[in-house]
Amino acid sequence: PRMPRLAPEFGGTPLPLASNACRLCQSSSCPRLYRRYEIIALVCDSQEKSPRLAKMRICCTNKYEIAPQAWPREGPAMPPASPADELALLTRLRRDLHRIPELDFELPETLRYVHDELEALCDDVTTRYGEGACTVFSPCKSSLCMFFDRKSDHATAVRSDMDALPVTEKSEYASCHQGHMHACGHDGHMAMVLGLAHHLAESFDELPRSVLLVFQPAEETTGGARFICESGVFERYGVDRVFGFHLWPDLAMGEVA
């Protein structure tokens, strides 16, 4: 087969991309817009008689780019995303999640969306650093966790809530679920923690300690946090600190209170 065009960081010619388009398929509707997938695979091209171990990048359309030289299993990660890429990622995540608000513990679409995002990143980390480096799991009903294992004695946890409110909205990115709305910012909370997951996956070998990401149901109706605490997940992973946060529209942009 013909060798694909190489990404600029692999020594190739820059691809002519439309604004806000996927780096690989060049589509602005790509569900994996701006996501960085590294996989180690055996590949060959027309100039090679035998396969070689190489690093590839793939996207939703299965278009791909291949590094021109072999990479070690624990080679460097992809170059970090630019601020523009990070903003586009967070915007896409928040808008996607804003359209599928669900209530209480009944979060099938939300859980599926968050799980798919986390699982793709987990596959990337596992490919580069081996089995057990990263895991995605559910500690209790309607919850999700992602653990980045740096073999430290203790871990830091970061938590996001996932449920919405029984409110009807009218806006450009209005809910697809009539009578439900992310009116309390939980779509933004999930987008930020998913964005953090991307950052942790890209900088895994620089993390000073293990990290546990927690996605909690039923914050509005209460009860979701108790089930997570009672699951024993914090004790099991040696968590000694948990960080949570809440969006607040009265604060200036970029301000943390």
Side-chain angles (χ1 to χ4, degrees):
R2 182 176 61 85
M3 187 71 166
R5 292 181 68 181
L6 301 177
E9 57 264 40
F10 292 153
T13 303
L15 297 173
L17 299 181
S19 177
N20 295 325
C22 173
R23 293 173 181 275
L24 301 185
C25 69
Q26 302 186 43
S27 169
S28 60
S29 61
C30 173
R32 293 179 176 174
L33 185 63
Y34 292 111
R35 281 165 61 168
R36 297 165 178 271
Y37 290 98
E38 296 175 29
I39 61 172
I40 303 297
L42 286 174
V43 299
C44 64
D45 59 50
S46 58
Q47 298 178 356
E48 296 179 341
K49 295 182 180 180
S50 59
R52 61 185 171 88
L53 193 66
K55 184 171 290 187
M56 299 174 62
R57 297 171 69 186
I58 62 173
C59 79
C60 63
T61 60
N62 292 323
K63 291 192 176 182
Y64 54 90
E65 299 165 335
I66 303 176
Q69 74 273 15
W71 292 69
R73 180 176 179 80
E74 296 191 6
M78 290 291 178
S82 68
D85 284 358
E86 292 174 345
L87 178 60
L89 170 68
L90 292 171
T91 301
R92 189 261 296 175
L93 292 169
R94 187 262 170 183
R95 288 178 177 175
D96 286 352
L97 289 162
H98 189 77
R99 289 181 177 272
I100 55 170
E102 297 169 301
L103 308 182
D104 200 30
F105 288 94
E106 303 305 316
L107 311 170
E109 288 188 61
T110 303
L111 287 166
R112 182 165 55 250
Y113 185 97
V114 173
H115 178 272
D116 288 350
E117 290 283 331
L118 297 179
E119 193 65 38
L121 294 171
C122 184
D123 289 345
D124 172 63
V125 174
T126 299
T127 296
R128 285 190 283 127
Y129 299 100
E131 290 294 331
C134 184
T135 53
V136 176
F137 61 96
S138 175
C140 58
K141 179 182 179 181
S142 300
S143 64
L144 280 169
C145 288
M146 185 177 198
F147 185 61
F148 294 87
D149 188 1
R150 292 293 293 155
K151 306 299 182 184
S152 57
D153 292 336
H154 296 96
T156 297
V158 181
R159 166 265 189 195
S160 169
D161 32 24
M162 295 187 289
D163 56 324
L165 289 166
V167 176
T168 299
E169 120 180 92
K170 293 182 180 180
S171 75
E172 180 182 357
Y173 297 99
S175 163
C176 296
H177 300 161
Q178 185 66 25
H180 297 174
M181 177 185 176
H182 271 300
C184 198
H186 296 187
D187 50 344
H189 301 168
M190 287 186 283
M192 287 189 284
V193 177
L194 287 171
L196 174 61
H198 278 256
H199 173 73
L200 295 174
E202 288 182 347
S203 57
F204 179 83
D205 56 354
E206 300 173 10
L207 301 180
R209 55 160 41 205
S210 300
V211 180
L212 178 71
L213 304 182
V214 180
F215 293 84
Q216 172 204 318
E219 188 273 341
E220 299 291 356
T221 52
T222 72
R226 178 171 62 86
F227 282 104
I228 290 177
C229 291
E230 292 177 349
S231 74
V233 66
F234 296 127
E235 293 80 5
R236 188 160 62 251
Y237 290 96
V239 173
D240 63 354
R241 63 199 69 177
V242 181
F243 292 91
F245 44 81
H246 206 293
L247 294 171
W248 195 252
D250 292 336
L251 294 177
M253 182 182 296
E255 183 177 340
V256 177

